[in-house]
């Protein structure tokens, strides 16, 4: 369709999770509790790590950044969802929708890269302990974190530009509770086959690639631990198992959602809850609050 022959869409209608008022109130309560847990748990972790000199190792440095990313990631969608569920206002301006899409992929992909860096940190600590201090020096940690943010920005700006170049002239109803590339692309008034494949190659391959690197890292750690079983290594094995669980909760739904062109399978907005809300809520429990060092530091902070 020629670009001069359509009326540009100025807002999108997010249908949300349900039209039933009782279910909307239930979802509002659940999202509010989950968002509050994400904020409180991750803020507590950040304050604890920043104030306790004993938590100065690279692992806790990376965990502190993971907590900050989780707060940002959940804040991209949760406040807007809570307002929509409580007020029933489902319209979102075109510019606001594009901004939500950009920041969702910016922070989300940065978290994937950071989780990959954290797996490399654990691999180095367990499989190459003599070189750990040299490899994961503070300068190297800052460089790796900066690379995660830069990689997330490049990924997100590509996704956003692919959407912005599409014409939107007719339907503006999104069958989800937030703006994302796949449901938006389906509303375009043009042939989007090439765009869909480019987006699948971008988001889907990033998710799959990071996941495979994570699986490879934890497989090597498991092989190392299995050969030298001891009390300390059993603890490392337990830690890696919990990390694999929360990584799976984040990456598998993302791979299912993004590693395919739009329209090949129906989009499931309930699957999106896993990686936009549930996974950030689980990260503090799995990565940090299972650590005795962190719990002891929190207890000291509480007594002060």
């Amino acid at each position: 369709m020629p670009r001069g022959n359509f009326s540009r869409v100025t807002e999108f209608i997010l249908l949300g999770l349900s039209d039933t008022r009782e279910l909307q109130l239930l979802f509002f309560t659940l999202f509010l509790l989950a968002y509050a847990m994400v904020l409180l748990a991750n803020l507590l972790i950040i304050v604890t790590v920043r104030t306790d000199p004993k938590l100065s190792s690279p692992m806790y440095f990376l965990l502190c950044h993971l907590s900050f990313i989780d707060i940002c990631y959940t804040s991209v969608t949760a406040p807007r969802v809570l307002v929509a569920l409580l007020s029933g206002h489902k319209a979102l301006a075109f510019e606001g929708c594009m901004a939500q899409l950009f920041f969702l992929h910016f922070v989300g992909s940065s978290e994937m890269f950071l989780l990959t860096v954290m797996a490399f940190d654990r691999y180095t600590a367990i499989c190459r302990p003599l070189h750990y201090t040299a490899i994961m020096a503070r300068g190297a940690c800052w460089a790796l974190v900066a690379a995660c943010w830069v990689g997330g920005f490049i990924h997100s700006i590509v996704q956003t530009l692919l959407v912005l170049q599409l014409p939107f002239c007719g339907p503006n109803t999104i069958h989800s509770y937030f703006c994302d590339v796949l449901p938006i692309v389906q509303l375009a008034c043009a042939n989007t086959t090439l765009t869909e494949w480019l987006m699948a190659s971008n988001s889907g391959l990033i998710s799959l690639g990071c996941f495979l690197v994570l699986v490879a890292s934890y497989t090597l750690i498991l092989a190392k631990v299995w050969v030298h079983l001891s009390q300390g290594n059993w603890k490392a094995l337990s830690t890696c198992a919990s990390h694999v669980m929360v990584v799976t909760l984040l990456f598998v739904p993302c791979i299912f959602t993004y590693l395919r062109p739009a329209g090949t399978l129906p989009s499931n907005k309930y699957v999106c809850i896993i990686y936009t809300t549930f996974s950030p809520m689980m990260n503090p429990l799995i990565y940090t609050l299972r650590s005795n060092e962190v719990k002891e530091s929190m207890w000291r902070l509480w007594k002060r």
Side-chain angles (χ1 to χ4, degrees), residues 118-196:
M118 291 171 65
F120 172 74
D121 171 74
R122 291 298 83 209
Y123 164 78
T124 307
I126 295 174
C127 299
R128 303 187 64 186
L130 298 179
H131 302 88
Y132 178 69
T133 304
I135 295 175
M136 297 302 295
R138 183 50 60 101
C141 290
W142 276 110
L144 288 171
V145 170
C148 293
W149 285 106
V150 172
F153 177 81
I154 293 173
H155 158 75
S156 184
I157 199 68
V158 169
Q159 292 288 86
T160 306
L161 291 176
L162 286 173
V163 174
L164 286 175
Q165 56 87 30
L166 295 173
F168 297 95
C169 57
N172 64 340
T173 302
I174 297 177
H175 294 272
S176 184
Y177 59 92
F178 65 95
C179 292
D180 201 2
V181 291
L182 295 180
I184 293 177
V185 166
Q186 293 177 349
L187 303 178
C189 303
N191 186 342
T192 60
T193 303
L194 177 60
T195 303
E196 291 173 22

Side-chain angles (χ1 to χ4, degrees), residues 126-129 219-229 233:
I126 295 174
C127 299
R128 303 187 64 186
T219 300
L220 292 173
I221 293 172
L222 178 62
K224 178 74 173 181
V225 171
W226 199 260
V227 173
H228 305 285
L229 286 178
N233 283 339

Side-chain angles (χ1 to χ4, degrees), residues 240-299:
C240 290
S242 61
H243 288 190
V244 169
M245 181 181 70
V246 73
V247 161
T248 302
L249 287 174
L250 172 64
F251 280 90
V252 171
C254 288
I255 294 171
F256 169 78
T257 301
Y258 296 111
L259 195 60
R260 59 186 175 85
T264 55
L265 287 173
S267 178
N268 192 329
K269 53 192 174 185
Y270 298 105
V271 172
C272 300
I273 296 177
I274 298 175
Y275 62 85
T276 59
T277 305
F278 186 70
S279 180
M281 184 177 65
M282 292 296 294
N283 280 342
L285 300 175
I286 298 298
Y287 277 97
T288 307
L289 298 182
R290 294 180 72 254
S291 169
N292 290 330
E293 291 179 328
V294 175
K295 288 187 287 187
E296 291 171 1
S297 297
M298 288 180 177
W299 179 243

Side-chain angles (χ1 to χ4, degrees), residues 47-56 293 296-297 300:
V47 172
T48 302
V49 173
R50 297 287 294 177
T51 56
D52 194 338
K54 294 182 179 180
L55 302 179
S56 59
E293 291 179 328
E296 291 171 1
S297 297
R300 289 194 295 267

